[in-house]
Amino acid sequence: NDHLIFVRDVTRLHLLEQMRKDFVANASHELKTPLTVIKGYVETLDMFKDNLPKSMQKGIVNMAEQSVRMEQLIEDLLLLSRLESDDKREENQWHRVSDIVESILKTTTAIMTDQHKLATYISEDARIYGSYKELYSAFSNLIVNAVKYSPDGGEINIKWESSELNGIFSVKDQGLGIDPRHVPRLTERFFRVDKGRGSKTGGTGLGLAIVKHVLLHHEAKLQIRSLPGTGSTFSCHFPASRVRKDAVSQS
Ligand code: ADP
């Protein structure tokens, strides 16, 4: 009967979805080893490239850049697979929001130019309950995007606000902005507003998909406000149960 067919179809869909997830996880894992070998040789070549003809030097630089890009892609795919599988959940703990952000900023300042102005408004006593690793990747993707998509610089504000009701982590930039018709698709895997722009900025198109999954794990919601040519604000709204204010001396 109809009901039985429906149940069978749902089970089949579930199986197919599991197969897709397993395939992505296995393929990404298998790509890691050969890539590590290639990267190792490229790094060696890079050290001796000064004595080689210019055209070969260019090729080596290109290989080095592309292998870093591929490594990032594999890391992002593996992270997404882990986020999608329910059995490998990270441990939840209380973390100081400013610790997570400070640690991210140590690496992101490298991609900023003199035109970028960074301002953080995060109280020392703000605490969040969750997985450090997952929150780090979500916040890091938002901060890196704010820099990447502000090619002409501008102010980037990183803020934490909390109330009785929730805690909001937001990243605001004065960059390119996003056309409203693209906003609903931003968190889809590999979705990019402008593919050409994406390949120049070195993104994988997986960043916001990662953000979405991390927020799901933390019962949080993503809000995107953006205006082309003016800039964007990405805000993560965490429920009150995951937010706390501690006396600074307790940490
Ligand atoms: P990518 O690796 O391409 O940055 P993301 O999933 O992080 O992938 O973002 C998807 C797309 O959303 C980007 O390619 C870009 O077009 C757009 N986007 C994300 N963040 C911003 C931002 N702060 N300003 C403008 N566009 C953005």
PDB file of all heavy atoms in Angstrom, residues 29-50:
ATOM      1  N   HIS A  29      39.506  11.730   2.853  1.00  0.00           N
ATOM      2  CA  HIS A  29      40.563  11.132   3.663  1.00  0.00           C
ATOM      3  C   HIS A  29      41.649  10.528   2.769  1.00  0.00           C
ATOM      4  O   HIS A  29      42.845  10.717   3.004  1.00  0.00           O
ATOM      5  CB  HIS A  29      39.968  10.074   4.578  1.00  0.00           C
ATOM      6  CG  HIS A  29      40.919   9.643   5.620  1.00  0.00           C
ATOM      7  ND1 HIS A  29      41.193  10.422   6.726  1.00  0.00           N
ATOM      8  CD2 HIS A  29      41.706   8.547   5.716  1.00  0.00           C
ATOM      9  CE1 HIS A  29      42.094   9.810   7.452  1.00  0.00           C
ATOM     10  NE2 HIS A  29      42.428   8.676   6.869  1.00  0.00           N
ATOM     11  N   GLU A  30      41.226   9.831   1.714  1.00  0.00           N
ATOM     12  CA  GLU A  30      42.191   9.187   0.808  1.00  0.00           C
ATOM     13  C   GLU A  30      43.033  10.209   0.041  1.00  0.00           C
ATOM     14  O   GLU A  30      44.140   9.916  -0.374  1.00  0.00           O
ATOM     15  CB  GLU A  30      41.454   8.272  -0.191  1.00  0.00           C
ATOM     16  CG  GLU A  30      40.842   7.033   0.433  1.00  0.00           C
ATOM     17  CD  GLU A  30      41.858   6.173   1.176  1.00  0.00           C
ATOM     18  OE1 GLU A  30      43.000   6.050   0.696  1.00  0.00           O
ATOM     19  OE2 GLU A  30      41.512   5.658   2.254  1.00  0.00           O
ATOM     20  N   LEU A  31      42.475  11.396  -0.194  1.00  0.00           N
ATOM     21  CA  LEU A  31      43.214  12.420  -0.954  1.00  0.00           C
ATOM     22  C   LEU A  31      44.312  13.067  -0.117  1.00  0.00           C
ATOM     23  O   LEU A  31      45.246  13.677  -0.646  1.00  0.00           O
ATOM     24  CB  LEU A  31      42.250  13.505  -1.439  1.00  0.00           C
ATOM     25  CG  LEU A  31      41.344  13.128  -2.612  1.00  0.00           C
ATOM     26  CD1 LEU A  31      40.270  14.195  -2.806  1.00  0.00           C
ATOM     27  CD2 LEU A  31      42.151  12.969  -3.890  1.00  0.00           C
ATOM     28  N   LYS A  32      44.196  12.921   1.187  1.00  0.00           N
ATOM     29  CA  LYS A  32      45.126  13.611   2.085  1.00  0.00           C
ATOM     30  C   LYS A  32      46.576  13.155   1.914  1.00  0.00           C
ATOM     31  O   LYS A  32      47.477  13.988   1.807  1.00  0.00           O
ATOM     32  CB  LYS A  32      44.712  13.361   3.548  1.00  0.00           C
ATOM     33  CG  LYS A  32      44.029  14.539   4.168  1.00  0.00           C
ATOM     34  CD  LYS A  32      43.689  14.269   5.594  1.00  0.00           C
ATOM     35  CE  LYS A  32      44.574  15.082   6.501  1.00  0.00           C
ATOM     36  NZ  LYS A  32      43.958  15.335   7.802  1.00  0.00           N
ATOM     37  N   THR A  33      46.780  11.825   1.883  1.00  0.00           N
ATOM     38  CA  THR A  33      48.152  11.310   1.836  1.00  0.00           C
ATOM     39  C   THR A  33      48.884  11.710   0.549  1.00  0.00           C
ATOM     40  O   THR A  33      49.966  12.294   0.619  1.00  0.00           O
ATOM     41  CB  THR A  33      48.149   9.778   2.031  1.00  0.00           C
ATOM     42  OG1 THR A  33      47.236   9.491   3.073  1.00  0.00           O
ATOM     43  CG2 THR A  33      49.516   9.252   2.349  1.00  0.00           C
ATOM     44  N   PRO A  34      48.289  11.432  -0.641  1.00  0.00           N
ATOM     45  CA  PRO A  34      49.023  11.857  -1.851  1.00  0.00           C
ATOM     46  C   PRO A  34      49.292  13.359  -1.875  1.00  0.00           C
ATOM     47  O   PRO A  34      50.364  13.799  -2.295  1.00  0.00           O
ATOM     48  CB  PRO A  34      48.108  11.448  -3.008  1.00  0.00           C
ATOM     49  CG  PRO A  34      46.839  10.989  -2.419  1.00  0.00           C
ATOM     50  CD  PRO A  34      47.055  10.707  -0.982  1.00  0.00           C
ATOM     51  N   LEU A  35      48.357  14.146  -1.376  1.00  0.00           N
ATOM     52  CA  LEU A  35      48.550  15.593  -1.391  1.00  0.00           C
ATOM     53  C   LEU A  35      49.714  15.999  -0.480  1.00  0.00           C
ATOM     54  O   LEU A  35      50.498  16.893  -0.823  1.00  0.00           O
ATOM     55  CB  LEU A  35      47.260  16.307  -0.980  1.00  0.00           C
ATOM     56  CG  LEU A  35      47.379  17.835  -0.989  1.00  0.00           C
ATOM     57  CD1 LEU A  35      47.664  18.344  -2.400  1.00  0.00           C
ATOM     58  CD2 LEU A  35      46.129  18.490  -0.453  1.00  0.00           C
ATOM     59  N   THR A  36      49.825  15.335   0.660  1.00  0.00           N
ATOM     60  CA  THR A  36      50.924  15.647   1.582  1.00  0.00           C
ATOM     61  C   THR A  36      52.265  15.399   0.884  1.00  0.00           C
ATOM     62  O   THR A  36      53.208  16.189   1.010  1.00  0.00           O
ATOM     63  CB  THR A  36      50.822  14.767   2.856  1.00  0.00           C
ATOM     64  OG1 THR A  36      49.501  14.887   3.354  1.00  0.00           O
ATOM     65  CG2 THR A  36      51.809  15.198   3.910  1.00  0.00           C
ATOM     66  N   VAL A  37      52.339  14.297   0.113  1.00  0.00           N
ATOM     67  CA  VAL A  37      53.579  13.978  -0.603  1.00  0.00           C
ATOM     68  C   VAL A  37      53.872  15.066  -1.640  1.00  0.00           C
ATOM     69  O   VAL A  37      54.974  15.620  -1.700  1.00  0.00           O
ATOM     70  CB  VAL A  37      53.470  12.587  -1.297  1.00  0.00           C
ATOM     71  CG1 VAL A  37      54.712  12.295  -2.111  1.00  0.00           C
ATOM     72  CG2 VAL A  37      53.213  11.502  -0.265  1.00  0.00           C
ATOM     73  N   ILE A  38      52.857  15.411  -2.436  1.00  0.00           N
ATOM     74  CA  ILE A  38      53.041  16.436  -3.477  1.00  0.00           C
ATOM     75  C   ILE A  38      53.488  17.760  -2.842  1.00  0.00           C
ATOM     76  O   ILE A  38      54.455  18.393  -3.286  1.00  0.00           O
ATOM     77  CB  ILE A  38      51.738  16.640  -4.292  1.00  0.00           C
ATOM     78  CG1 ILE A  38      51.415  15.371  -5.077  1.00  0.00           C
ATOM     79  CG2 ILE A  38      51.850  17.838  -5.234  1.00  0.00           C
ATOM     80  CD1 ILE A  38      50.050  15.358  -5.740  1.00  0.00           C
ATOM     81  N   LYS A  39      52.809  18.143  -1.757  1.00  0.00           N
ATOM     82  CA  LYS A  39      53.140  19.409  -1.090  1.00  0.00           C
ATOM     83  C   LYS A  39      54.578  19.423  -0.600  1.00  0.00           C
ATOM     84  O   LYS A  39      55.293  20.417  -0.712  1.00  0.00           O
ATOM     85  CB  LYS A  39      52.196  19.630   0.101  1.00  0.00           C
ATOM     86  CG  LYS A  39      51.250  20.769  -0.115  1.00  0.00           C
ATOM     87  CD  LYS A  39      50.518  21.133   1.155  1.00  0.00           C
ATOM     88  CE  LYS A  39      51.089  22.394   1.737  1.00  0.00           C
ATOM     89  NZ  LYS A  39      50.811  22.597   3.135  1.00  0.00           N
ATOM     90  N   GLY A  40      55.003  18.286  -0.085  1.00  0.00           N
ATOM     91  CA  GLY A  40      56.374  18.163   0.423  1.00  0.00           C
ATOM     92  C   GLY A  40      57.384  18.428  -0.683  1.00  0.00           C
ATOM     93  O   GLY A  40      58.326  19.221  -0.514  1.00  0.00           O
ATOM     94  N   TYR A  41      57.160  17.802  -1.858  1.00  0.00           N
ATOM     95  CA  TYR A  41      58.090  18.008  -2.980  1.00  0.00           C
ATOM     96  C   TYR A  41      58.034  19.433  -3.512  1.00  0.00           C
ATOM     97  O   TYR A  41      59.043  20.018  -3.874  1.00  0.00           O
ATOM     98  CB  TYR A  41      57.795  17.009  -4.112  1.00  0.00           C
ATOM     99  CG  TYR A  41      58.383  15.642  -3.820  1.00  0.00           C
ATOM    100  CD1 TYR A  41      57.573  14.541  -3.581  1.00  0.00           C
ATOM    101  CD2 TYR A  41      59.770  15.466  -3.779  1.00  0.00           C
ATOM    102  CE1 TYR A  41      58.115  13.297  -3.292  1.00  0.00           C
ATOM    103  CE2 TYR A  41      60.320  14.228  -3.487  1.00  0.00           C
ATOM    104  CZ  TYR A  41      59.483  13.146  -3.241  1.00  0.00           C
ATOM    105  OH  TYR A  41      60.038  11.936  -2.963  1.00  0.00           O
ATOM    106  N   VAL A  42      56.828  20.000  -3.548  1.00  0.00           N
ATOM    107  CA  VAL A  42      56.688  21.376  -4.036  1.00  0.00           C
ATOM    108  C   VAL A  42      57.455  22.333  -3.116  1.00  0.00           C
ATOM    109  O   VAL A  42      58.133  23.253  -3.581  1.00  0.00           O
ATOM    110  CB  VAL A  42      55.195  21.783  -4.142  1.00  0.00           C
ATOM    111  CG1 VAL A  42      55.052  23.261  -4.426  1.00  0.00           C
ATOM    112  CG2 VAL A  42      54.495  20.996  -5.224  1.00  0.00           C
ATOM    113  N   GLU A  43      57.368  22.082  -1.817  1.00  0.00           N
ATOM    114  CA  GLU A  43      58.096  22.944  -0.866  1.00  0.00           C
ATOM    115  C   GLU A  43      59.604  22.843  -1.084  1.00  0.00           C
ATOM    116  O   GLU A  43      60.336  23.834  -1.017  1.00  0.00           O
ATOM    117  CB  GLU A  43      57.716  22.578   0.575  1.00  0.00           C
ATOM    118  CG  GLU A  43      56.455  23.305   1.020  1.00  0.00           C
ATOM    119  CD  GLU A  43      55.765  22.662   2.208  1.00  0.00           C
ATOM    120  OE1 GLU A  43      56.413  21.917   2.971  1.00  0.00           O
ATOM    121  OE2 GLU A  43      54.544  22.900   2.362  1.00  0.00           O
ATOM    122  N   THR A  44      60.084  21.617  -1.368  1.00  0.00           N
ATOM    123  CA  THR A  44      61.516  21.433  -1.627  1.00  0.00           C
ATOM    124  C   THR A  44      61.902  22.193  -2.898  1.00  0.00           C
ATOM    125  O   THR A  44      62.901  22.916  -2.939  1.00  0.00           O
ATOM    126  CB  THR A  44      61.851  19.931  -1.794  1.00  0.00           C
ATOM    127  OG1 THR A  44      61.203  19.227  -0.757  1.00  0.00           O
ATOM    128  CG2 THR A  44      63.342  19.685  -1.771  1.00  0.00           C
ATOM    129  N   LEU A  45      61.104  22.010  -3.970  1.00  0.00           N
ATOM    130  CA  LEU A  45      61.359  22.707  -5.236  1.00  0.00           C
ATOM    131  C   LEU A  45      61.402  24.216  -5.014  1.00  0.00           C
ATOM    132  O   LEU A  45      62.255  24.926  -5.565  1.00  0.00           O
ATOM    133  CB  LEU A  45      60.235  22.412  -6.226  1.00  0.00           C
ATOM    134  CG  LEU A  45      60.344  21.158  -7.084  1.00  0.00           C
ATOM    135  CD1 LEU A  45      59.077  20.981  -7.902  1.00  0.00           C
ATOM    136  CD2 LEU A  45      61.545  21.262  -8.024  1.00  0.00           C
ATOM    137  N   ASP A  46      60.485  24.702  -4.178  1.00  0.00           N
ATOM    138  CA  ASP A  46      60.373  26.126  -3.906  1.00  0.00           C
ATOM    139  C   ASP A  46      61.676  26.683  -3.308  1.00  0.00           C
ATOM    140  O   ASP A  46      62.082  27.805  -3.621  1.00  0.00           O
ATOM    141  CB  ASP A  46      59.195  26.351  -2.949  1.00  0.00           C
ATOM    142  CG  ASP A  46      58.768  27.805  -2.931  1.00  0.00           C
ATOM    143  OD1 ASP A  46      58.503  28.340  -4.011  1.00  0.00           O
ATOM    144  OD2 ASP A  46      58.734  28.398  -1.837  1.00  0.00           O
ATOM    145  N   MET A  47      62.343  25.856  -2.500  1.00  0.00           N
ATOM    146  CA  MET A  47      63.582  26.316  -1.855  1.00  0.00           C
ATOM    147  C   MET A  47      64.718  26.493  -2.874  1.00  0.00           C
ATOM    148  O   MET A  47      65.614  27.287  -2.678  1.00  0.00           O
ATOM    149  CB  MET A  47      64.012  25.294  -0.789  1.00  0.00           C
ATOM    150  CG  MET A  47      63.190  25.401   0.484  1.00  0.00           C
ATOM    151  SD  MET A  47      63.926  24.480   1.819  1.00  0.00           S
ATOM    152  CE  MET A  47      63.666  22.799   1.319  1.00  0.00           C
ATOM    153  N   PHE A  48      64.667  25.681  -3.970  1.00  0.00           N
ATOM    154  CA  PHE A  48      65.767  25.734  -4.945  1.00  0.00           C
ATOM    155  C   PHE A  48      65.377  26.454  -6.229  1.00  0.00           C
ATOM    156  O   PHE A  48      66.077  26.375  -7.219  1.00  0.00           O
ATOM    157  CB  PHE A  48      66.231  24.307  -5.269  1.00  0.00           C
ATOM    158  CG  PHE A  48      66.774  23.591  -4.064  1.00  0.00           C
ATOM    159  CD1 PHE A  48      66.036  22.631  -3.402  1.00  0.00           C
ATOM    160  CD2 PHE A  48      68.059  23.907  -3.589  1.00  0.00           C
ATOM    161  CE1 PHE A  48      66.539  21.990  -2.283  1.00  0.00           C
ATOM    162  CE2 PHE A  48      68.570  23.262  -2.473  1.00  0.00           C
ATOM    163  CZ  PHE A  48      67.808  22.303  -1.814  1.00  0.00           C
ATOM    164  N   LYS A  49      64.234  27.128  -6.223  1.00  0.00           N
ATOM    165  CA  LYS A  49      63.731  27.663  -7.498  1.00  0.00           C
ATOM    166  C   LYS A  49      64.537  28.836  -8.062  1.00  0.00           C
ATOM    167  O   LYS A  49      64.475  29.103  -9.255  1.00  0.00           O
ATOM    168  CB  LYS A  49      62.254  28.043  -7.367  1.00  0.00           C
ATOM    169  CG  LYS A  49      61.933  29.283  -6.558  1.00  0.00           C
ATOM    170  CD  LYS A  49      60.466  29.588  -6.719  1.00  0.00           C
ATOM    171  CE  LYS A  49      60.037  30.864  -6.092  1.00  0.00           C
ATOM    172  NZ  LYS A  49      60.237  31.050  -4.659  1.00  0.00           N
ATOM    173  N   ASP A  50      65.320  29.516  -7.224  1.00  0.00           N
ATOM    174  CA  ASP A  50      66.043  30.708  -7.680  1.00  0.00           C
ATOM    175  C   ASP A  50      66.971  30.455  -8.870  1.00  0.00           C
ATOM    176  O   ASP A  50      67.193  31.340  -9.690  1.00  0.00           O
ATOM    177  CB  ASP A  50      66.841  31.313  -6.519  1.00  0.00           C
ATOM    178  CG  ASP A  50      65.896  31.902  -5.474  1.00  0.00           C
ATOM    179  OD1 ASP A  50      64.685  32.012  -5.800  1.00  0.00           O
ATOM    180  OD2 ASP A  50      66.346  32.201  -4.360  1.00  0.00           O
TER     181      ASP A  50
END
